[in-house]
Amino acid sequence: MCYTVVMKILTELQIENAVYEIAKKMCFEVDEKTLKKISDAYEKEDNRATKDALSDIIVNAKIAKNEHIPLCQDTGIVIAFCEIGGQIVIDGSFEKAINSGIKRAYSTEYLRKSVVKSPLDRVNTNDNTPCIIHTTITDGDKLKITLCPKGAGSENMGRVKMLTPASGEDGIIDFVVETVRLAGGKACPPLIVGVGIGGDLEECALLSKRALLRDIDDCSKDTHAKRLEDILYEKINALNIGAMGLKGKTTCLAVKVETFPCHIASLPVAVSLMCHANRHATCEL
Amino acid sequence: MNINIDDKNEFLSKIKTLKAGDRVYLSGTLLTARDAVHKELKNLIDNNEKLPYNFVNSIIYYAGPTDTPPEKIVGSIGPTTSQRMDSYAEYMKKLGVLAVIGKGERSDECKKIYLRDGITYFIATGGCGALLSKCVTSCEVVAFSHLGCESVKKLTVDNFPVTVCYDNEQGDIFNG
């Protein structure tokens, strides 16, 4: 037997450069679709203090973009979601490439170094690395990297719960709504709410994170998941938390539900919250 | 309303008239302090050791800015989540702090201590570090420099926008 497989070679430097290019922009701009939803929330808000906060958020986005000042002082720990085509050969270290790109961007753009070497002794690494890297192997010869600089305000409010099948859809809804209620103004609402259902303990958490990366205007292609997104959107916005917890009509801008098969005895659910800046950026090689 | 926060009497007399939800603009001096500084201050106070900086009559801003680029006064400097500083509520009066600025709800216990001790809790809009940086006219590291972005910085601010969270008539912006 004789095989001909076409491979594509990517060097460590090529990957580092691609990461650097998107990383140096991701903390300075809110994407247009997110900004539109925030402007809509401002228009329909009656509460004075909440309207002030939404106005601040809109003005902040303009200043950040025009004057190249980070939107938020918390420029996050970087999560890198990577899809590596099976036909790609990496000349060098993939992890090193990602971390070097981040290190460079956080240095040249004067972003905050928010990573400690150990959660126990808590000494800063001073370069905002290491990143948290998730990789999946896909078909083809493309490398796709999505970076998400995740701030702790919203991240600290995420939760996972191992429900059981008896809890059903009502149990899922109660848990998600409770999570947003407990987060209150601390996670910087209006939020994007990522929900992962199924898999196991770590898979549902990952699903909830990946959910946050979806286009803010899309909805699930799965009809059951889409129905759940609609129900959760209504219930969360009925909580009257509002922008920054100041009460109001808009607590979330979108709800994204992702599911995965699971064990007959399990119903894991995870909720990841994304603040109103909705920062993430993608590159492809 | 505008308040000159460097004048303690003006600050205290104006604060009395404000209601939860009122927006005020602060001008004068703020000191940044967040998780690591609070932890160190607590240890120093508990062990009766000398503090590296005088916090009497100060307003603490829970903030750790991005690095300052050349030619700039300060980086992005928005508020961090106040809840993580709830367990240090008892220490604010011991430090002589008048008010704190952060974002989000406080625990019931923390709120009770603040109201008892006359500590004002303001919030600034979270995620607005670019906007708030425009109100900073000077920035100088004055203590705990080894903590980097978490060090204590003395800021001079001009018309820094904050919202009053609690008032003396049981007003609570988060539970109104």
Side-chain angles (χ1 to χ4, degrees):
Chain A
M1 289 280 278
C2 179
Y3 292 98
T4 308
V5 182
V6 181
M7 304 301 280
K8 180 161 112 183
I9 297 169
L10 289 175
T11 65
E12 194 175 298
L13 188 62
Q14 269 179 299
I15 298 168
E16 176 190 324
N17 287 341
V19 166
Y20 174 69
E21 287 305 320
I22 53 169
K24 71 179 190 182
K25 293 178 193 152
M26 66 188 176
C27 293
F28 297 89
E29 274 187 49
V30 182
D31 88 276
E32 286 302 321
K33 288 178 180 176
T34 304
L35 212 46
K36 169 78 170 62
K37 283 193 185 290
I38 295 168
S39 299
D40 292 347
Y42 173 82
E43 291 302 327
K44 68 178 184 196
E45 190 55 62
D46 302 319
N47 184 319
R48 181 175 49 91
T50 314
K51 224 172 162 68
D52 284 344
L54 287 163
S55 166
D56 284 347
I57 292 168
I58 294 163
V59 175
N60 185 65
K62 282 184 193 149
I63 294 173
K65 187 178 176 182
N66 294 341
E67 302 188 32
H68 199 68
I69 303 170
L71 288 156
C72 179
Q73 76 291 338
D74 188 350
T75 48
I77 181 167
V78 179
I79 315 167
F81 294 91
C82 312
E83 293 172 22
I84 307 171
Q87 286 165 252
I88 288 177
V89 176
I90 294 162
D91 179 9
S93 160
F94 185 66
E95 271 188 30
K96 204 171 150 210
I98 305 269
N99 284 318
S100 300
I102 293 302
K103 212 178 280 189
R104 251 168 78 197
Y106 275 67
S107 168
T108 64
E109 304 313 303
Y110 303 96
L111 302 175
R112 198 177 79 184
K113 285 59 172 183
S114 310
V115 177
V116 292
K117 195 171 181 183
S118 154
L120 302 177
D121 65 23
R122 311 203 69 83
V123 177
N124 204 301
T125 62
N126 289 323
D127 60 13
N128 218 54
T129 68
C131 305
I132 296 165
I133 302 174
H134 301 294
T135 51
T136 46
I137 307 295
T138 55
D139 293 337
D141 65 352
K142 293 271 188 283
L143 169 66
K144 186 178 169 188
I145 299 171
T146 299
L147 302 177
C148 177
K150 197 72 171 63
S154 58
E155 183 64 9
N156 284 354
M157 297 296 130
R159 296 203 303 163
V160 183
K161 192 168 185 183
M162 301 306 282
L163 296 177
T164 53
S167 304
E169 194 176 292
D170 287 347
I172 295 169
I173 292 168
D174 288 349
F175 178 65
V176 177
V177 174
E178 183 189 41
T179 300
V180 178
R181 185 177 57 73
L182 290 172
K186 298 182 280 290
C188 285
L191 305 166
I192 292 97
V193 180
V195 182
I197 308 170
D200 59 0
L201 182 78
E202 83 279 2
E203 182 64 19
C204 74
L206 259 175
L207 287 171
S208 73
K209 258 314 153 42
R210 288 185 195 282
L212 297 175
L213 308 176
R214 278 170 41 191
D215 184 312
I216 196 168
D217 285 337
D218 78 0
C219 49
S220 177
K221 290 184 181 73
D222 177 273
T223 50
H224 199 163
K226 183 190 178 303
R227 200 173 69 85
L228 207 49
E229 288 177 351
D230 294 342
I231 294 170
L232 287 167
Y233 180 84
E234 294 300 325
K235 284 193 182 283
I236 288 167
N237 282 324
L239 283 171
N240 189 28
I241 292 170
M244 301 315 301
L246 299 171
K247 307 284 173 201
K249 294 175 178 166
T250 311
T251 301
C252 73
L253 301 171
V255 179
K256 307 289 178 188
V257 172
E258 290 289 312
T259 65
F260 193 80
C262 67
H263 191 282
I264 49 171
S266 296
L267 180 54
V269 183
V271 184
S272 286
L273 302 175
M274 181 79 99
C275 67
H276 54 72
N278 193 18
R279 297 172 300 190
H280 52 91
T282 301
C283 65
E284 214 174 274
L285 285 171
Chain B
M1 183 189 281
N2 298 287
I3 304 181
N4 170 11
I5 47 178
D6 289 340
D7 181 336
K8 184 186 173 185
N9 294 331
E10 176 183 331
F11 178 79
L12 292 176
S13 66
K14 282 187 173 173
I15 279 298
K16 271 188 227 155
T17 67
L18 296 170
K19 297 271 168 290
D22 285 347
R23 178 165 273 215
V24 293
Y25 295 86
L26 309 178
S27 296
T29 310
L30 299 178
L31 295 175
T32 67
R34 43 172 291 156
D35 309 58
V37 166
H38 279 76
K39 198 171 186 178
E40 295 220 13
L41 287 173
K42 175 185 184 295
N43 288 338
L44 291 170
I45 292 171
D46 287 349
N47 296 317
N48 288 316
E49 288 179 48
K50 193 176 180 294
L51 303 182
Y53 198 77
N54 183 3
F55 287 81
V56 174
N57 295 336
S58 67
I59 296 183
I60 285 184
Y61 181 25
Y62 300 144
T66 54
D67 295 354
T68 307
E71 320 293 325
K72 293 270 179 79
I73 295 164
V74 72
S76 184
I77 186 160
T80 196
T81 309
S82 308
Q83 182 202 37
R84 297 195 311 275
M85 270 56 78
D86 283 357
S87 59
Y88 304 107
E90 288 281 3
Y91 291 82
M92 294 301 103
K93 196 179 180 191
K94 291 177 187 169
L95 286 166
V97 169
L98 296 178
V100 298
I101 306 169
K103 72 173 166 87
E105 303 84 347
R106 310 306 299 258
S107 65
D108 291 343
E109 183 62 20
C110 174
K111 178 183 164 184
K112 211 163 77 187
I113 294 167
Y114 278 10
L115 290 175
R116 182 196 70 196
D117 292 349
I119 313 287
T120 303
Y121 177 44
F122 294 113
I123 53 165
T125 307
C128 291
L131 170 81
L132 294 165
S133 77
K134 305 296 285 179
C135 304
V136 178
T137 57
S138 77
C139 172
E140 178 198 354
V141 176
V142 291
F144 300 108
S145 58
H146 63 285
L147 295 174
C149 69
E150 291 204 61
S151 64
V152 175
K153 294 168 190 76
K154 183 180 169 186
L155 307 175
T156 311
V157 297
D158 185 31
N159 284 315
F160 190 91
V162 294
T163 303
V164 179
C165 291
Y166 311 133
D167 60 40
N168 290 325
E169 287 160 29
Q170 276 154 11
D172 179 342
I173 197 166
F174 300 112
N175 285 303

